[in-house]
Amino acid sequence: MLEPVKFSTYHGGAREEGLLDFSASLNPYPPEWLDEMFERSKEISDRYPYYERLEEELRELIDQPVTVTAGITEALYLLGILALRGRKVVIPRHTYGEYERVARIFGAKVIKGSNDPERLAELVEGNSVVFFCNPNNPDGSFHRVRELRPLLDAVEDKKALLVLDEAFIDFVEKPESPEGESIVKLRTFTKSYGLPGIRVGYVIGFKEAFRSVRMPWSIGSTGVAFLEFVIEDGFEHLRKTMPLIWREKKRLEKALKVKSDANFFIKRIGNAKEFVEALKRRGILVRDCESFGLPEYVRFSVRKPEENERLIEAFRELGEGF
């Protein structure tokens, strides 16, 4: 008989209506073409969603071979099929929980290590797989190529595989990303376009391998329509909205004494669960970081100016060291 996997993860995002949601780290500005996109989705919903042509157009747009997936989540499970069975998997201690969940589902041996790339490099062995989130979730720290160098060298020397999760890289000012034959990069449009319900992401690297195991038609007609509009837009939406987010990020950093390279922060407040409930009573949702191994911290994202002001006032009302 079938037995459930005895490991679960928790994700941000409101489960109830009526709350101002800072728990999910999304672009708060929707694309101008959203209504047209949904109309296009309806037009093509009576056919199977093939998207190989769009995949090639996306490759031309970002100038790298890509494999389109249903967000980074599908890519992680494809990695399980391709690379995780029976292998040693190295994961930083405070990071996105799906890495460990997928590794355990596919029978890998999980080793937890430091969030510092130089110290994490000490755990790399031959044929192992290393997960690294950059910028990291939940703290938003971004490591530049020179800071990643010890980890990159260890992966290459040991003939290991580095899985670089760059879900939030669009929110980094002046980002950079390493190159290498032993690197898989995972990216998504979910965060930067503020549309978590539209499951579209892509993998950079090992194109033939990923395409050989992915599920057919995984992104559906809405995902195909979204890709069409993203490609036509040429990332103009990101060029318009990211400066607005960066400006508000700096304001939150100053007001709440926090720091991040991404569009979200963590802040130590004491009893995170009680703090989350206190904010909910004020109509605001943030995420406690217990699932990341940081039970005294909450995570919250950057939203629009008037929404951020509500959050700042709520933090001030509740006080430091809650």
Side-chain angles (χ1 to χ4, degrees):
M1 300 299 289
L2 301 180
E3 296 292 332
V5 175
K6 296 179 180 178
F7 184 88
S8 62
T9 55
Y10 181 85
H11 300 285
R15 273 88 168 157
E16 55 189 281
E17 300 292 332
L19 294 173
L20 180 54
D21 189 4
F22 286 86
S23 73
S25 305
L26 308 170
N27 186 339
Y29 300 98
E32 296 175 356
W33 37 259
L34 200 57
D35 290 340
E36 297 173 69
M37 184 206 75
F38 283 119
E39 286 299 317
R40 172 61 176 163
S41 174
K42 287 194 291 184
E43 289 177 9
I44 62 175
S45 62
D46 62 346
R47 68 193 75 166
Y48 284 103
Y50 293 102
Y51 44 83
E52 287 79 5
R53 175 183 58 82
L54 294 172
E55 207 163 37
E56 292 309 307
E57 291 179 7
L58 181 61
R59 180 199 66 79
E60 293 175 7
L61 186 60
I62 67 171
D63 198 29
Q64 295 187 80
V66 301
T67 302
V68 169
T69 58
I72 282 178
T73 303
E74 185 194 7
L76 289 174
Y77 283 81
L78 299 182
L79 267 166
I81 296 169
L82 292 168
L84 298 186
R85 294 187 187 276
R87 296 174 79 169
K88 175 181 175 180
V89 173
V90 180
I91 304 174
R93 191 160 286 109
H94 305 297
T95 196
Y96 184 45
E98 279 297 320
Y99 310 146
E100 183 175 357
R101 182 170 182 265
V102 170
R104 294 191 183 281
I105 286 172
F106 285 92
K109 180 183 178 181
V110 175
I111 305 296
K112 294 289 190 73
S114 171
N115 280 58
D116 175 70
E118 185 171 4
R119 293 175 59 191
L120 194 68
E122 298 171 2
L123 301 176
V124 178
E125 295 180 1
N127 207 36
S128 60
V129 178
V130 184
F131 284 92
F132 199 82
C133 191
N134 199 37
N136 186 49
N137 183 9
D139 63 281
S141 59
F142 181 72
H143 294 273
R144 302 204 165 268
V145 173
R146 69 178 183 279
E147 299 169 309
L148 291 174
R149 182 53 55 193
L151 183 59
L152 299 173
D153 290 345
V155 166
E156 185 175 343
D157 292 344
K158 301 288 186 179
K159 293 181 171 53
L161 179 69
L162 174 62
V163 181
L164 200 59
D165 183 346
E166 297 181 329
F168 296 98
I169 197 168
D170 288 331
F171 296 97
V172 177
E173 294 190 60
K174 299 179 182 178
E176 55 186 63
S177 183
E179 303 294 334
E181 295 183 357
S182 300
I183 302 173
V184 174
K185 299 179 189 179
L186 311 181
R187 294 184 182 175
T188 183
F189 296 108
T190 293
K191 317 295 183 183
S192 53
Y193 283 80
L195 298 170
I198 301 176
R199 309 301 304 153
V200 182
Y202 58 96
V203 179
I204 299 174
F206 299 93
K207 179 184 72 174
E208 290 78 12
F210 279 96
R211 292 189 183 185
S212 72
V213 295
R214 69 176 169 189
M215 186 172 69
W217 316 305
S218 63
I219 66 172
S221 60
T222 304
V224 170
F226 173 79
L227 266 182
E228 289 178 347
F229 277 82
V230 164
I231 291 167
E232 183 179 353
D233 180 68
F235 300 146
E236 182 61 28
H237 177 67
L238 301 185
R239 286 189 284 271
K240 288 180 180 178
T241 58
M242 288 302 151
L244 303 177
I245 294 170
W246 295 333
R247 184 173 63 195
E248 281 301 295
K249 183 170 80 78
K250 291 178 174 62
R251 188 163 75 95
L252 284 170
E253 287 176 336
K254 183 177 180 180
L256 299 180
K257 297 179 176 61
V258 289
K259 190 68 178 175
S260 173
D261 296 306
N263 63 320
F264 53 88
F265 305 93
I266 60 171
K267 185 173 176 62
R268 189 172 187 173
I269 46 78
N271 190 320
K273 288 188 178 298
E274 289 186 8
F275 190 85
V276 169
E277 291 303 314
L279 280 180
K280 284 176 70 174
R281 291 192 290 271
R282 290 163 169 78
I284 295 172
L285 181 64
V286 299
R287 179 176 173 182
D288 81 71
C289 293
E290 183 175 4
S291 65
F292 296 104
L294 299 167
E296 295 185 342
Y297 288 80
V298 293
R299 191 193 71 186
F300 50 93
S301 62
V302 181
R303 293 188 60 88
K304 295 179 180 179
E306 63 276 12
E307 296 169 330
N308 295 330
E309 190 58 39
R310 279 187 59 186
L311 182 71
I312 291 169
E313 287 303 314
F315 266 95
R316 288 171 177 166
E317 288 174 11
L318 291 173
E320 297 287 338
F322 179 80

